[in-house]
Amino acid sequence: MSETSNQQIPGLAQKKVFKIIVLGDSGVGKTCLTYRFCEGQFLDKSEATIGVDFRERTIRIRNEEIKLQLWDTAGQERFRKSMVQHYYRNVHAVVIVYDVTKPESFHSIVSWMQEVESHGLTNAPRVLVGNKCDCGTPESRLATTYAQRAADKYGMPLFETSALLDSECDNVESIFMTLAHKLYSKQPLRVISVEGDQSYGVVTLPRHKSRTAPPRDSCLCS
Amino acid sequence: MEHNNLDAASGDKFNLNGNCSPSPEKQSFDLNHTKNIDDISTPSELKFDEDFDFEDPQISEKRKEIERCLHSPDTVNLDQWQHLARSKGGLISDDYRKVIWPLLVGVTKDEMTEPPSLDDLSTHGEYNQVVLDVNRSLKRFPPGIPYEQRVALQDQLTVLILRVIIKHPNLKYYQGYHDVAITLLLVCGDRASFPLLCRLSCGAAAPLQPFMQTTMAPTQHLLNYMLPVIRRADPDVADCLDKAQVGTMFALPWYLTWFGHSLNRYSDVVRLYDYFLCSPPLFPVYVTAAIVLYRGGEVLRCDCDMAMLHCLLSRLPDDLPFEDILVTAEKLYLENDPEDLEPEVAALERREAEIRHADEERMRRRREAGARARAGRGRAAAGWRGVTSLAAWLPAVTSRRALLATATVLLGVYVYYRPELLFNR
Ligand SMILES: Nc1nc2c(ncn2[C@@H]2O[C@H](COP(=O)(O)OP(=O)(O)OP(=O)(O)O)[C@@H](O)[C@H]2O)c(=O)[nH]1
Ligand SMILES: [Mg+2]
């Protein structure tokens, strides 16, 4: 019930808060990606996420300070249903991550999407992220065209990146900034959306690719 | 003792045994040389930073007492071991723990068998998940541990976990189990930690057993006991948690790993294990409540917001006074018997179910509105058709889901009290 209090009063000089939930199979790099975005570096000693971890970072859009709250969830199946459910509440945007070297993690997108939809987030901005593009050979990684088709089907932008590479830092940045901008632009609608649900229907999601830098150029591939 | 026989490998040419204390200088190893796991020293010889500069005289006295007991273990009964483990300072040193922990849970020497090789186990369905988690457990090893030794211990850890879930196929691995397993492994070595971990995982009163069911619903239910305990002790703090709807997730890793995952100081972790190994299964939840109560002031000062509170509570400060917290937890346990709390937990869960239901109702309306808006704009593009039809189909699903959720919770409650039902199948 408690949509965070400080974001609800339009016109007050309080920080807006955008909540983003990060989903994906265990080991795809959700924790490393959120850490990269919030702390600006690669997390060497990543640990399994048990339940839900929380990170945040303040950004600026059009000179306005905005708090991005990232909810980094556990990938293991048994944590999903009942456990994480609580954290879907009042989420504004969704990041779904897969590992470009693990086709199974890509195939799981279907079930992650189902989960997203079952929590009423069908119209929330979403992005698809293929992580670990520093790993393996171009042949061993999931083909971009293939991933792009899935992204198009679900109407979300695709990013291919690496939490590991410093050179990919900007790309990780743009994942979350894309969402932030999208949320920012629909902010006035969102504010009244606590009970006035209609607002969600008015938002159009991109149905075509809007990927940023072509990943092949920016990844160090062995 | 028998299980010390790994020490026999100390003549090994890497001489790991003499060098496993945290030393900053790097040792050079031939990384291509594959070493047998058995060549590695007993893990409990690994030294975490310990401060020997000053020892509380009370602890020195206790040390002597423990040594006396260990000298003639046959004259010491379980109550006495438990008393040593629970009273201030716990079992003090890993040298004592590695002998006493098995005694606390009633593991005998002949249960401490040679582990199988990793290769024999690698076809197991959970193998990949276990390895993934074990590979990310670096923080749990003593600082400065030589690379080779760490890798060997990680293999032992994988073997240990797989051994248990192979022996008990009804038990499901969860992320966090590896944190419990590694604590046992570091203290007791690979032979003793297997029966120990089995004892903790399998059986009606086994403390980890509820975590290893098909879903986390039983765990969630048990963790809910924390809230009425807090409420009875400090209604203001409870109100704050309640108002923010922070839930119990911040404490989930604490409970699932007996704090192994969440505390930076190894000495705190093993101290808590001393206690938990001779406590009722629900006791860690009372420790959780005691920690929240100890931090009550911070809770009250914090913005009453789910994210902020989750953030505050989930990060445990390094300087928690665990001896005091354990005393408080014990007191809380005596004053608030789990059975007494049942009605309060049930009421809480009913309320949660109602909120969930209301949420689902809200989502349903939102989906319908969304579908209407889209249909109205005549934009049921190919990509959205699936969604639209899904929305039409969802009301039925929603109520089924709510029913299912309630049923799961009830099943959780039931299974917790009648765990044998699951195990005797
Ligand atoms: N090469 C490479 N490795 C990565 C990258 N991102 C993460 N990793 C590694 O992949 C492993 C898993 O990363 P995590 O971020 O812990 O994975 P997660 O998705 O949070 O996993 P769960 O918490 O279990 O759900 C770790 O060992 C990381 O070091 C990357 O971009 N490149
Ligand atoms: Mg993680």
Side-chain angles (χ1 to χ4, degrees):
Chain A
M1 299 282 106
S2 65
E3 186 110 356
T4 42
S5 47
N6 54 353
Q7 57 184 314
Q8 286 308 314
I9 310 137
L12 275 190
Q14 274 164 320
K15 257 190 222 173
K16 287 188 176 115
V17 179
F18 294 153
K19 293 187 178 189
I20 301 174
I21 194 165
V22 183
L23 307 171
D25 283 3
S26 179
V28 297
K30 299 180 292 297
T31 299
C32 290
L33 277 171
T34 53
Y35 190 88
R36 165 67 83 181
F37 178 71
C38 293
E39 311 293 331
Q41 49 189 311
F42 183 63
L43 178 65
D44 276 347
K45 290 187 180 170
S46 167
E47 292 176 285
T49 304
I50 300 174
V52 175
D53 275 344
F54 171 84
R55 279 179 201 87
E56 71 175 353
R57 183 176 145 189
T58 300
I59 55 160
R60 258 176 188 284
I61 297 181
R62 287 192 219 123
N63 244 350
E64 187 177 346
E65 288 209 326
I66 294 176
K67 231 198 254 185
L68 288 191
Q69 295 186 337
L70 308 185
W71 293 92
D72 169 22
T73 62
Q76 200 191 7
E77 173 113 31
R78 65 204 334 284
F79 288 104
R80 286 185 206 173
K81 288 279 152 19
S82 57
M83 283 272 150
V84 176
Q85 193 175 47
H86 190 75
Y87 295 83
Y88 273 98
R89 214 185 262 181
N90 307 321
V91 155
H92 303 120
V94 180
V95 176
I96 297 181
V97 187
Y98 67 94
D99 176 342
V100 293
T101 66
K102 292 235 161 55
E104 320 84 83
S105 72
F106 181 78
H107 295 131
S108 301
I109 294 171
V110 181
S111 64
W112 287 114
M113 283 308 290
Q114 274 165 2
E115 186 147 325
V116 165
E117 281 169 8
S118 76
H119 286 94
L121 289 165
T122 311
N123 290 325
R126 297 163 300 187
V127 294
L128 183 61
V129 177
N131 187 37
K132 304 200 192 179
C133 69
D134 59 287
C135 277
T137 60
E139 297 74 43
S140 70
R141 288 191 294 266
L142 195 94
T144 304
T145 46
Y146 189 65
Q148 188 63 59
R149 266 206 299 276
D152 290 349
K153 182 178 137 210
Y154 288 113
M156 43 185 180
L158 170 70
F159 291 82
E160 283 178 307
T161 193
S162 157
L164 177 88
L165 297 178
D166 287 336
S167 59
E168 281 288 301
C169 201
D170 291 347
N171 207 0
V172 174
E173 192 89 357
S174 54
I175 296 169
F176 295 99
M177 290 308 273
T178 302
L179 286 174
H181 277 277
K182 192 149 288 161
L183 290 170
Y184 188 86
S185 63
K186 68 182 223 177
Q187 171 76 5
L189 294 174
R190 199 187 54 79
V191 165
I192 54 157
S193 70
V194 193
E195 287 308 328
D197 294 331
Q198 267 82 347
S199 62
Y200 275 80
V202 197
V203 175
T204 346
L205 285 172
R207 276 181 228 154
H208 45 80
K209 50 180 150 189
S210 50
R211 224 175 58 229
T212 46
R216 287 275 159 80
D217 302 343
S218 45
C219 292
L220 290 178
C221 305
S222 43
Chain B
M1 295 232 359
E2 179 71 354
H3 60 271
N4 277 345
N5 69 357
L6 288 178
D7 291 4
S10 57
D12 151 87
K13 64 175 168 173
F14 289 100
N15 193 19
L16 287 172
N17 288 323
N19 276 315
C20 53
S21 55
S23 61
E25 68 266 24
K26 288 264 174 304
Q27 302 176 31
S28 61
F29 286 108
D30 175 9
L31 298 184
N32 294 322
H33 176 89
T34 42
K35 267 169 66 68
N36 191 324
I37 287 174
D38 297 344
D39 295 347
I40 304 298
S41 72
T42 314
S44 57
E45 291 199 352
L46 298 168
K47 289 287 177 276
F48 288 83
D49 325 75
E50 279 178 46
D51 189 6
F52 287 111
D53 292 347
F54 167 78
E55 189 170 276
D56 184 332
Q58 224 181 323
I59 297 293
S60 304
E61 199 46 48
K62 188 173 181 184
R63 201 184 269 281
K64 280 189 208 129
E65 194 188 336
I66 293 178
E67 277 172 14
R68 263 198 309 276
C69 289
L70 285 175
H71 193 70
S72 45
D74 295 340
T75 63
V76 183
N77 64 27
L78 183 61
D79 276 351
Q80 287 167 293
W81 290 126
Q82 290 192 340
H83 177 73
L84 290 170
R86 293 160 76 131
S87 57
K88 188 178 168 200
L91 295 174
I92 305 171
S93 150
D94 280 5
D95 292 338
Y96 306 147
R97 290 189 173 99
K98 85 178 166 196
V99 186
I100 302 174
W101 279 9
L103 299 176
L104 289 174
V105 294
V107 163
T108 57
K109 250 186 263 172
D110 42 272
E111 289 176 275
M112 301 177 190
T113 51
E114 204 56 45
S117 91
L118 186 53
D119 297 340
D120 298 340
L121 309 176
S122 59
T123 52
H124 190 270
E126 292 284 3
Y127 177 79
N128 287 333
Q129 182 72 60
V130 173
V131 168
L132 185 63
D133 296 341
V134 166
N135 286 344
R136 290 182 289 173
S137 61
L138 303 185
K139 271 195 190 155
R140 301 295 316 277
F141 290 93
I145 181 175
Y147 170 84
E148 267 231 349
Q149 194 177 7
R150 194 202 73 215
V151 170
L153 277 170
Q154 285 180 308
D155 282 352
Q156 291 186 351
L157 178 59
T158 308
V159 169
L160 171 61
I161 294 168
L162 290 170
R163 256 179 114 184
V164 178
I165 56 178
I166 287 171
K167 182 165 176 212
H168 304 287
N170 52 336
L171 298 179
K172 305 281 176 290
Y173 172 76
Y174 64 90
Q175 288 186 295
Y177 193 63
H178 67 298
D179 279 301
V180 178
I182 196 178
T183 313
L184 303 182
L185 180 65
L186 287 172
V187 171
C188 298
D190 61 344
R191 289 160 57 102
S193 50
F194 172 63
L196 240 166
L197 189 56
C198 284
R199 216 52 74 85
L200 298 182
S201 312
C202 189
L208 308 179
Q209 183 265 127
F211 313 155
M212 306 187 77
Q213 308 307 313
T214 349
T215 77
M216 278 287 170
T219 307
Q220 205 167 12
H221 168 68
L222 295 174
L223 203 47
N224 278 337
Y225 280 77
M226 164 179 80
L227 297 169
V229 175
I230 295 173
R231 177 159 296 286
R232 287 177 177 199
D234 189 337
D236 291 343
V237 170
D239 282 342
C240 189
L241 300 181
D242 205 38
K243 205 161 136 232
Q245 295 209 359
V246 67
T248 52
M249 186 70 92
F250 66 87
L252 180 70
W254 306 350
Y255 188 28
L256 289 180
T257 70
W258 279 4
F259 294 86
H261 184 81
S262 315
L263 289 173
N264 290 321
R265 282 210 312 239
Y266 174 83
S267 55
D268 288 338
V269 176
V270 285
R271 166 65 184 114
L272 289 177
Y273 275 56
D274 290 340
Y275 213 104
F276 294 158
L277 287 172
C278 33
S279 304
L282 205 55
F283 189 73
V285 172
Y286 287 75
V287 173
T288 292
I291 290 176
V292 176
L293 290 167
Y294 173 77
R295 303 184 70 193
E298 290 171 82
V299 171
L300 294 174
R301 280 191 300 278
C302 182
D303 281 345
C304 201
D305 164 71
M306 169 166 118
M308 291 305 108
L309 260 185
H310 178 94
C311 196
L312 172 79
L313 288 171
S314 61
R315 279 159 218 180
L316 288 170
D318 277 340
D319 57 355
L320 285 174
F322 275 107
E323 294 304 333
D324 299 343
I325 285 171
L326 286 170
V327 171
T328 310
E330 184 69 49
K331 189 161 162 280
L332 290 170
Y333 196 92
L334 292 174
E335 288 169 0
N336 308 283
D337 190 83
E339 234 170 90
D340 287 353
L341 297 172
E342 269 167 39
E344 282 149 84
V345 173
L348 189 134
E349 287 172 354
R350 264 197 310 276
R351 206 153 45 89
E352 264 175 15
E354 276 161 23
I355 293 176
R356 207 157 45 229
H357 189 74
D359 263 5
E360 275 162 358
E361 194 59 24
R362 196 157 58 98
M363 286 187 296
R364 188 184 57 81
R365 273 189 284 132
R366 179 182 291 179
R367 267 191 301 267
E368 281 175 354
R372 266 201 307 279
R374 271 193 304 278
R377 291 196 306 277
R379 288 178 42 192
W384 292 108
R385 218 166 279 147
V387 176
T388 319
S389 54
L390 188 71
W393 177 71
L394 261 155
V397 182
T398 321
S399 52
R400 259 214 314 270
R401 282 175 54 88
L403 250 176
L404 202 74
T406 322
T408 317
V409 171
L410 288 176
L411 184 75
V413 180
Y414 188 60
V415 167
Y416 175 63
Y417 293 105
R418 303 283 314 276
E420 73 281 0
L421 287 179
L422 271 182
F423 289 106
N424 297 341
R425 277 199 307 197

